[in-house]
Amino acid sequence: MALSAEDRALVRALWKKLGSNVGVYATEALERTFLAFPATKTYFSHLDLSPGSAQVRAHGQKVADALSLAVERLDDLPRALSALSHLHACQLRVDPANFPLLGHCLLVTLARHYPGDFSPALQASLDKFLSHVISALASEYR
Amino acid sequence: MGAKGEYYPSKLIGKVLKIFCISNFVFDMVSFHRLLVVYPWTQRFFDSFGNLSSPSAILGNPKVKAHGKKVLTSFGDAIKNMDNLKITFAKLSELHCDKLHVDPENFKLLGNVMVIILATHFGKEFTPEVQAAWQKLVSAVAIALAHKYH
């Protein structure tokens, strides 16, 4: 089901509130993912994953930039994320089952930092948005 | 393998227990309601509950609240029996399979909703390490609940 006007409004409003902190939260989401779902670390054996790692921070910023692009291009996610999908499918070869794990940890991170905003309605809209992002990211796999 | 011994450092067990004791009012009221709102297809098991037509209807629904209490009680059993989850949940597992016909995927959804609610309530205390301990617990509960499925 496509994102409703209300979903888009809620997601955009939250993203505006996050401001320049998207990178910080994406990095925390990555750290949470590595701890809660250790198998995800297998894709990052080339990085220093110790707490506070600059490499994880840099990767968090990449994830943040991609999510912010997705928020800007809610009407056209498959095309907006096509190159990233191709990258994950053909070069990085990440099993798409991992995408929801990072998605969940991003929700946990945002819930932890914005508890007053994290109503069931916002959670539902964010969850839907991330599902659409994940579908777009998996779209070039085969 | 017992969940408590090898998977959870004892400090985190203590934190999990403390959080659970403080937070059971949270689970009671909120987690089940949130599941039905965020993942509306989970309402399929609750046709007899009456009005679930909106988030406020779900929040005000006495049957949702009562069921939330049941789930909370079961989770309390999980916390007390972390080394024995499959045995603890054997009868409940059979019930969910044979009588209620619940897809075990739903157990994972509820577990993740509980983790998110904990994050909203415990903020800074809900560190990545504490989250990881809770993810293991909710995952182990989901596996135990699915264990008797056939």
Side-chain angles (χ1 to χ4, degrees), chain A residues 1-130:
Chain A
M1 193 178 176
L3 292 173
S4 68
E6 195 195 336
D7 292 328
R8 288 157 200 258
L10 283 171
V11 170
R12 284 179 178 135
L14 180 73
W15 227 257
K16 200 169 170 190
K17 206 166 184 175
L18 301 186
S20 55
N21 288 321
V22 183
V24 171
Y25 299 139
T27 300
E28 181 179 327
L30 274 173
E31 288 167 347
R32 286 182 181 273
T33 306
F34 295 148
L35 265 166
F37 308 107
T40 55
K41 294 189 293 187
T42 55
Y43 294 101
F44 297 96
S45 53
H46 57 291
L47 290 189
D48 164 23
L49 299 183
S50 56
S53 153
Q55 291 180 322
V56 173
R57 254 196 333 270
H59 196 76
Q61 191 56 55
K62 280 189 198 170
V63 171
D65 293 342
L67 287 169
S68 296
L69 173 70
V71 173
E72 275 172 42
R73 304 265 304 266
L74 288 175
D75 295 322
D76 192 18
L77 280 178
R79 221 164 358 161
L81 299 178
S82 157
L84 257 184
S85 178
H86 192 80
L87 175 76
H88 282 78
C90 304
Q91 273 177 254
L92 305 174
R93 286 175 291 187
V94 176
D95 192 315
N98 291 285
F99 300 149
L101 303 179
L102 177 57
H104 168 66
C105 287
L106 185 65
L107 289 177
V108 172
T109 302
L110 295 175
R112 171 259 183 271
H113 286 280
Y114 295 90
D117 294 279
F118 220 75
S119 63
L122 175 62
Q123 182 181 341
S125 296
L126 269 177
D127 197 288
K128 280 165 79 176
F129 161 65
L130 289 172

Side-chain angles (χ1 to χ4, degrees), chain B residues 44-140:
Chain B
R44 72 190 297 282
F45 304 108
F46 304 104
D47 281 342
S48 64
F49 274 29
N51 186 7
L52 299 176
S53 58
S54 68
S56 55
I58 294 170
L59 185 62
N61 188 307
K63 288 186 175 178
V64 171
K65 183 175 177 179
H67 198 75
K69 268 190 156 69
K70 271 194 202 166
V71 170
L72 168 72
T73 305
S74 290
F75 217 80
D77 290 342
I79 301 260
K80 288 179 213 151
N81 294 284
M82 280 192 262
D83 284 331
N84 262 318
L85 289 176
K86 284 180 181 162
I87 294 170
T88 304
F89 284 103
K91 287 231 159 3
L92 258 183
S93 179
E94 284 168 1
L95 174 75
H96 281 78
C97 173
D98 299 331
K99 296 266 158 63
L100 305 177
H101 309 293
V102 176
D103 179 350
E105 276 304 303
N106 293 281
F107 308 146
K108 296 180 198 170
L109 291 180
L110 180 57
N112 279 342
V113 167
M114 288 164 107
V115 167
I116 285 170
I117 289 168
L118 288 171
T120 61
H121 280 264
F122 290 96
K124 224 163 49 172
E125 257 189 274
F126 205 65
T127 61
E129 290 79 7
V130 172
Q131 179 192 346
W134 271 95
Q135 296 289 168
K136 278 187 185 154
L137 180 61
V138 300
S139 167

